[in-house]
Amino acid sequence: MAMLKVAVPNKGILADFATEMLAEAGYAVRKDSKTLRVVDSANNIEFFYLRPRDIATYVGTGALDLGITGLDLLMDSRSKAVRVANLNFGQSTFTFAGAIGEFKSIEQISGKRVATAYGNIVEDYLKGKGIEATVIRLDGAVETAVSLGVADLIADVVSTGNTLRQAGLEPFGEVILESSAYLIANSSSSDQHTSLLRRLNGVVVAREYVIFDYDCPANLIEQASVITPGIESPTVSPTKDANWLAVRALVLRSETNAKMDELYDLGARAILVSAIHAARI
């Protein structure tokens, strides 16, 4: 079987999270940021560390089988690569921003100059809304474009909004795109990514969920199962005392304390929470 070729971001937040996720999934990853290629013979996979913006192009043309990149970068590339799975990291919001108090709605963009590093996304969005504006393509940070007189407003990826505020800008209008990291594939590799996808999904589950173990009065098991339904169903086992049952279920990590409180108030006891190191769902 041919070795699977996978593109990985070589720098930035996407690179850090992608490398960490691949390592957690049991793959060989680079130890030096200057390394451009890693061969994992044990798993028959080869990783290429590329600029995040170029990954969709490499995958879409068939040069590589799979890649990890942001949804915003995929859409801006207009690549033929297809989305395989949301990897739930690198979340960001793509939106318009202008001088504080100047813009209230996207209709006001008509006839204006919009600076962005994501020209195709902006052009496609404005075309879909029937708005005509001049899109000015810049490479990299665009926050200073307004103060320097290059543009009237910008369209950019926003995480915390601190950079915008420092530049005297504020977001307005509806969100153009909610982005996060995705596993993408070229159209001919759809039958090759099963193992990689299963492993990465296992990492996502391990990060998002915890294991609940608790003792529940037998007469309250139905109510407890509503609180912790698990993925398919909670596992219920008998104990030495016929009046009690042992329950195990997956619970969203973000709901841990709330669920513990609900269970305790219901009458469950010995509630234990454990981290998941790996999973297959």
Side-chain angles (χ1 to χ4, degrees), residues 21-169:
M21 176 172 270
L22 289 169
E24 288 183 37
Y27 293 107
V29 296
R30 69 179 185 178
K31 305 300 182 184
D32 187 335
S33 60
K34 295 181 181 179
T35 300
L36 301 179
R37 174 174 170 267
V38 172
V39 177
D40 184 345
S41 300
N43 291 297
N44 197 39
I45 192 167
E46 188 174 7
F47 297 106
F48 295 84
Y49 290 82
L50 306 170
R51 290 179 68 243
R53 185 171 284 277
D54 296 336
I55 288 175
T57 299
Y58 279 102
V59 174
T61 59
L64 299 176
D65 301 304
L66 300 161
I68 296 175
T69 192
L71 177 60
D72 51 353
L73 296 174
L74 170 62
M75 294 185 66
D76 194 59
S77 71
R78 291 176 176 165
S79 165
K80 294 181 179 180
V82 296
R83 304 179 214 177
V84 175
N86 187 344
L87 300 179
N88 290 343
F89 68 83
Q91 288 85 357
S92 62
T93 300
F94 191 70
T95 185
F96 292 108
I100 296 174
E102 185 172 341
F103 293 91
K104 300 299 182 183
S105 68
I106 62 170
E107 285 74 23
Q108 292 176 278
I109 298 174
S110 180
K112 303 293 186 179
R113 299 166 299 165
V114 186
T116 184
Y118 298 81
N120 290 336
I121 289 179
V122 174
E123 286 183 352
D124 292 343
Y125 178 85
L126 292 176
K127 183 178 180 180
K129 296 293 183 179
I131 297 173
E132 293 188 5
T134 301
V135 176
I136 299 173
R137 297 169 182 260
L138 298 176
D139 186 13
V142 299
E143 292 84 3
T144 58
V146 175
S147 62
L148 292 176
V150 174
D152 302 301
L153 67 150
I154 69 170
D156 202 15
V157 172
V158 178
S159 294
T160 64
N162 289 334
T163 304
L164 286 182
R165 286 189 289 272
Q166 291 172 4
L169 305 175

